[in-house]
């Protein structure tokens, strides 16, 4: 739905509201016409219900407003004395239309200065839980979202099992595009395993301005761009529409920003012709073929983690002839230390000539294919000779940038123009190439002006990361936020008590030097809070008895 369609829906809702409540407005001392005026009617209704005016704002926050509608239906009934359990149940189960029945058939006596606090313990618990969910949904959607690192693609900087807080306000909070959805969950309801949202209707993309732009080397959480392929509940290799804000959450390092020209040579990233200098905490890992001289040490996982920080599994290359031929994933510093200590006698970095078997052919969106071929690195064109380690220089588009389009560079921009610059509502453009001529929706395309910024994101664990090298650009409308804090870290490969990485708890994601844990400071502050709270409570009780 576009904004015009949403405006029509909004006006229809106002009409429905007015027709169902105008008698209640007059019974409360207001004019009947006030129940039909958009926004103003909500402000008046808050006065009728003896609720603060700012509740009106919550009625316009997607997802949050669904919960607020329930509160408003119940409070409207109770403002006129209909507060029995059956009234509450009917108000909710009829989606508020029970109010119509009360408005036209029952006596309406407004309860002025109504006591809004629950009268029973059950009511108090229900009220507390409901408003806790509303508050948490606001924080989760617009301020800070918890996130768990599921893979080792950012190993050394972020570990598998790190629990993060992801800031929504750094890059600007994106309003939910799927308004009818369960609060505080992503695309699936836990335990039940069912879809957590309705794909229709959709709100057009809009983002609250942030206070900083994405910079090179920033770690970014984003919605996986190609999650429309094997998306829940399908796994058939075909295209299935999935709203942007319900695509899977991924986290990678942004190595190139909008407007950059990027290339790779032997695994080294170059931006605008100069080598990209990674931050101090970033320690890229690669796969190495090695010859081990100390198999006893290589088999001691705890020792290898403690001494050389080798957290990835060590594989035996040849199971029949030479047990000393191994494959490991390590940083350059770790591999050189192994050689210096005599643990290995030889090493060579694996040559990633071919990308992993991941290819998406978007020429027919109705039949997305996965191919095992030499052109399976984005943009899936064998003429470009791209792979995991080597990549010819190419452009990262920026909003407002006009680029000449031809048959040579269209593979880079095909998906951008067709999907990301089409519509969030699964309405796509169509790019076709006939000979050396490129057509957009049947019209010759000589140049194109991009509508939004794009980014190139990669994992530090270079040979164990599904990233932009495979599926291409990340549009800005897919950006979720910036990880800022590790509040807990858990290694599932260890026993319960030893699995907690206390040294990583309450550490910052960004910054220089080794991360410092602020867990002790947090515990001291938490203890101080409860002590002060207890002292104040005792003073209040003593004052009341004296």
């Amino acid at each position: 739905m576009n904004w015009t369609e949403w405006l029509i829906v909004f006006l229809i809702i106002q009409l429905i509201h007015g027709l169902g409540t105008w008698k209640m407005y007059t019974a409360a001392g207001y004019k009947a016409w006030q129940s039909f005026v958009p926004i103003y009617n909500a402000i008046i209704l808050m006065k009728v219900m003896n609720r603060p005016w700012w509740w009106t704002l919550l009625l316009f926050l997607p997802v949050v407003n669904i919960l607020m509608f329930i509160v408003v239906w119940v409070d409207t009934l109770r403002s006129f004395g209909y507060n029995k359990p059956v009234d509450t149940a009917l108000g909710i189960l009829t989606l508020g239309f029970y109010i119509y029945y009360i408005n036209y058939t029952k006596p309406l006596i407004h309860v002025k200065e109504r006591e809004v606090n629950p009268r029973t313990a059950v009511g108090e618990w229900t009220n507390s839980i409901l408003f806790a969910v509303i508050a948490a949904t606001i924080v989760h959607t617009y301020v800070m979202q918890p996130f768990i690192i599921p893979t080792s693609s950012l190993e050394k900087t972020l570990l598998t099992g790190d629990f993060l807080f992801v800031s929504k306000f750094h890059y600007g909070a994106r309003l939910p595009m799927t308004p009818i959805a369960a609060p505080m969950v992503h695309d699936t309801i836990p335990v039940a395993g069912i879809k957590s949202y309705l794909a229709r209707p959709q709100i057009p993309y809009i983002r609250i301005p942030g206070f900083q732009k994405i910079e090179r080397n920033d770690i970014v959480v984003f919605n996986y761009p190609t999650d429309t392929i094997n998306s829940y509940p399908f796994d058939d290799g075909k295209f299935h529409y999935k709203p942007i804000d319900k695509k899977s959450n991924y986290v990678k390092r942004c190595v190139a920003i909008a407007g950059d020209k990027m290339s790779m040579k032997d695994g080294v990233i170059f931006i605008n012709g100069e080598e990209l200098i990674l931050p101090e905490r970033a320690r890229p890992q690669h796969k190495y073929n090695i010859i081990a001289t100390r198999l006893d040490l290589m088999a001691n996982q705890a020792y290898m983690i403690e001494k050389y920080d080798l957290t990835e599994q060590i594989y035996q290359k040849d199971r029949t002839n030479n047990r000393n031929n191994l494959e490991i994933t390590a940083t350059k510093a770790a591999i050189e230390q192994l050689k210096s200590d005599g643990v290995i006698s030889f090493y060579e970095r694996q040559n990633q000539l071919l990308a992993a078997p991941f290819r998406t052919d978007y020429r027919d969106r109705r039949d997305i294919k996965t191919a095992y071929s030499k052109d399976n690195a984005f943009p899936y064109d064998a003429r470009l000779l791209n792979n995991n380690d080597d990549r010819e220089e190419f452009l990262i588009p920026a909003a407002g940038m006009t680029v000449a389009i031809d048959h040579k560079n269209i593979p880079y921009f095909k998906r951008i123009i067709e999907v990301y610059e089409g519509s969030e509502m699964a309405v796509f453009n169509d790019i076709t190439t006939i000979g050396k001529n490129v057509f957009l929706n049947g019209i010759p395309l000589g140049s194109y002006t991009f509508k939004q910024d794009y980014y190139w994101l990669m994992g530090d664990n270079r040979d164990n990361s599904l990233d932009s090298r495979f599926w291409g650009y990340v549009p800005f409308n897919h950006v979720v936020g910036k990880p800022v804090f590790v509040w807990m870290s858990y290694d599932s490969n260890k026993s319960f008590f030893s699995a907690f990485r206390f040294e990583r708890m309450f550490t910052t994601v960004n910054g220089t030097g080794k991360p410092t844990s602020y867990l002790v400071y947090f515990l001291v502050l938490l203890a101080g809070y409860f002590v002060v709270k207890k002292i104040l409570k005792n003073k209040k009780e003593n004052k009341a008895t004296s």
Side-chain angles (χ1 to χ4, degrees):
M1 294 174 63
N2 56 38
W3 287 117
T4 301
E5 292 169 331
W6 272 111
L7 177 60
I8 294 172
V9 170
F10 175 70
L11 294 176
I12 292 173
I13 292 174
Q14 302 309 305
L15 179 62
I16 293 172
H17 171 79
L19 292 174
T21 59
W22 66 272
K23 283 191 172 184
M24 292 181 170
Y25 277 73
T26 56
Y30 296 95
K31 304 294 183 182
W33 63 264
Q34 291 176 318
S35 65
F36 291 90
V37 180
I39 302 178
Y40 181 62
N41 55 7
I43 296 175
I44 296 298
L45 185 60
M46 296 308 152
K47 294 180 180 180
V48 173
M49 299 187 306
N50 198 25
R51 295 293 189 178
W53 68 269
W54 52 263
W55 272 31
T56 303
L57 302 177
L58 302 181
L59 295 175
F60 295 90
L61 292 179
V63 180
V64 174
N65 55 9
I66 295 177
L67 299 173
M68 287 302 302
F69 288 154
I70 297 174
V71 175
V72 168
W73 296 334
V74 173
D75 264 18
T76 299
L77 292 168
R78 291 180 177 179
S79 296
F80 293 90
Y82 297 95
N83 51 16
K84 295 180 180 179
V86 65
D87 296 314
T88 300
L90 288 172
I92 296 173
L93 294 175
T94 63
L95 302 181
F97 282 98
Y98 179 62
I99 295 174
Y100 265 72
Y101 171 74
I102 299 297
N103 187 65
Y104 287 103
T105 65
K106 296 293 182 179
L108 300 174
I109 301 174
H110 181 231
V111 183
K112 295 183 178 180
E113 304 300 327
R114 179 177 68 95
E115 176 57 52
V116 296
N117 293 323
R119 300 177 181 178
T120 65
V122 173
E124 185 174 351
W125 272 102
T126 302
N127 194 62
S128 298
I129 292 172
L130 180 60
F131 283 99
V133 170
I134 291 173
T137 301
I138 293 174
V139 173
H140 181 277
T141 306
Y142 301 98
V143 184
M144 199 76 70
Q145 175 181 339
F147 183 81
I148 304 174
I149 298 295
T151 68
S152 62
S153 67
L154 281 170
E155 186 71 25
K156 307 310 178 204
T157 301
L158 294 176
L159 309 183
T160 304
D162 279 351
F163 290 69
L164 308 177
F165 282 135
V166 177
S167 164
K168 298 290 188 72
F169 54 84
H170 274 76
Y171 305 137
R174 183 184 59 193
L175 268 64
M177 304 168 74
T178 311
I180 304 178
M184 293 189 301
V185 297
H186 194 51
D187 60 342
T188 306
I189 296 177
V191 181
I194 60 176
K195 193 164 66 173
S196 65
Y197 63 94
L198 295 181
R200 298 288 189 275
Q202 281 281 292
I203 297 175
Y205 167 73
I206 187 171
R207 186 183 292 270
I208 300 171
F211 66 84
Q212 77 171 62
K213 293 184 177 181
I214 298 176
E215 299 176 353
R216 293 188 203 95
N217 290 323
D218 277 359
I219 295 177
V220 179
V221 173
F222 58 97
N223 295 119
Y224 185 38
T226 58
D227 201 17
T228 52
I229 301 168
N230 287 330
S231 60
Y232 178 90
F234 307 100
D235 189 19
D236 55 9
K238 296 182 179 180
F239 175 86
H240 297 280
Y241 173 68
K242 196 173 185 182
I244 290 174
D245 59 335
K246 294 304 177 182
K247 294 180 180 180
S248 299
N249 288 327
Y250 266 49
V251 57
K252 306 289 179 187
R253 186 182 302 280
C254 179
V255 297
I257 61 176
D260 281 346
K261 288 185 178 181
M262 175 183 159
S263 61
M264 290 182 67
K265 185 175 181 181
D266 197 26
V268 178
I269 299 171
F270 293 87
I271 302 297
N272 303 322
E274 297 184 0
E275 182 179 343
L276 175 68
I277 305 302
L278 293 170
E280 183 181 357
R281 291 187 183 180
R283 292 182 289 159
Q285 294 193 136
H286 295 275
K287 288 183 178 178
Y288 291 88
N289 297 325
I290 65 169
I291 297 178
T293 56
R294 293 291 305 273
L295 286 177
D296 57 327
L297 295 181
M298 300 297 286
N300 189 334
Q301 183 181 13
Y303 175 81
M304 298 306 289
I305 293 175
E306 177 68 24
K307 180 68 174 179
Y308 301 103
D309 200 18
L310 298 184
T311 52
E312 299 282 309
Q313 185 175 352
I314 299 173
Y315 294 95
Q316 186 172 325
K317 294 285 290 183
D318 190 337
R319 296 181 181 276
T320 57
N321 297 327
N322 194 336
R323 295 175 57 244
N324 297 76
N325 290 342
L326 303 175
E327 175 191 291
I328 67 172
T329 300
T331 63
K332 185 64 184 299
I335 202 75
E336 290 179 344
Q337 187 64 46
L338 286 166
K339 181 71 162 54
S340 176
D341 292 349
V343 180
I344 63 176
S345 60
F346 168 84
Y347 70 84
E348 65 175 359
R349 191 164 72 84
Q350 291 186 2
N351 187 355
Q352 302 294 315
L353 286 177
L354 296 183
F358 177 92
R359 181 185 172 192
T360 312
D361 189 342
Y362 296 100
R363 286 174 293 185
D364 185 352
R365 288 181 301 276
R366 295 166 297 176
D367 185 18
I368 304 294
K369 301 174 182 178
T370 301
Y372 293 79
S373 62
K374 66 179 181 180
D375 60 333
N376 53 14
F378 180 84
Y380 326 120
D381 190 329
R383 296 172 301 172
L384 299 172
L385 302 178
N386 290 330
N387 56 62
N388 268 3
D389 288 335
D390 297 279
R391 188 169 289 270
E392 299 176 5
E393 188 173 74
F394 64 100
L395 175 69
I396 313 295
M401 176 182 288
T402 300
V403 176
I405 300 295
D406 56 35
H407 68 288
K408 294 181 180 179
N409 65 6
I410 192 60
Y412 281 103
F413 307 128
K414 187 175 190 292
R415 178 167 173 81
I416 285 181
I417 299 173
E418 283 192 327
V419 181
Y420 307 142
E421 305 256 317
S423 169
E424 297 90 2
M425 314 303 292
V427 178
F428 300 102
N429 293 315
D430 184 60
I431 292 287
T432 55
T433 304
I434 303 177
K436 294 185 178 181
N437 298 314
V438 181
F439 297 86
L440 171 58
N441 300 326
I443 300 173
L445 182 65
S447 64
Y448 186 82
T449 301
F450 295 94
K451 299 177 183 178
Q452 61 177 318
D453 288 333
Y454 292 86
Y455 303 89
W456 193 265
L457 293 105
M458 291 172 54
D460 293 345
N461 196 354
R462 294 294 167 75
D463 301 329
N464 190 20
S465 174
L466 184 60
D467 52 39
S468 285
R469 291 170 295 176
F470 300 97
W471 35 255
Y473 305 100
V474 174
F476 186 54
N477 64 3
H478 282 58
V479 171
V480 175
K482 181 177 184 177
V484 292
F485 204 68
V486 178
W487 64 273
M488 191 179 80
S489 188
Y490 187 84
D491 186 350
S492 60
N493 294 319
K494 297 182 179 180
S495 60
F496 178 77
F497 289 106
S498 62
F500 290 95
R501 305 185 186 107
F502 291 103
E503 74 282 358
R504 291 189 61 79
M505 294 184 184
F506 289 82
T507 60
T508 57
V509 172
N510 305 289
T512 58
K514 186 177 180 180
T516 301
S517 174
Y518 295 95
L519 177 60
V520 174
Y521 301 97
F522 170 76
L523 294 176
V524 170
L525 288 174
L526 189 64
Y529 166 78
F530 284 110
V531 169
V532 171
K533 184 178 180 180
K534 180 66 175 177
I535 293 174
L536 293 177
K537 182 180 180 181
N538 291 339
K539 283 186 177 181
K540 185 177 181 179
E541 292 175 351
N542 292 336
K543 186 177 181 179
T545 56
S546 60

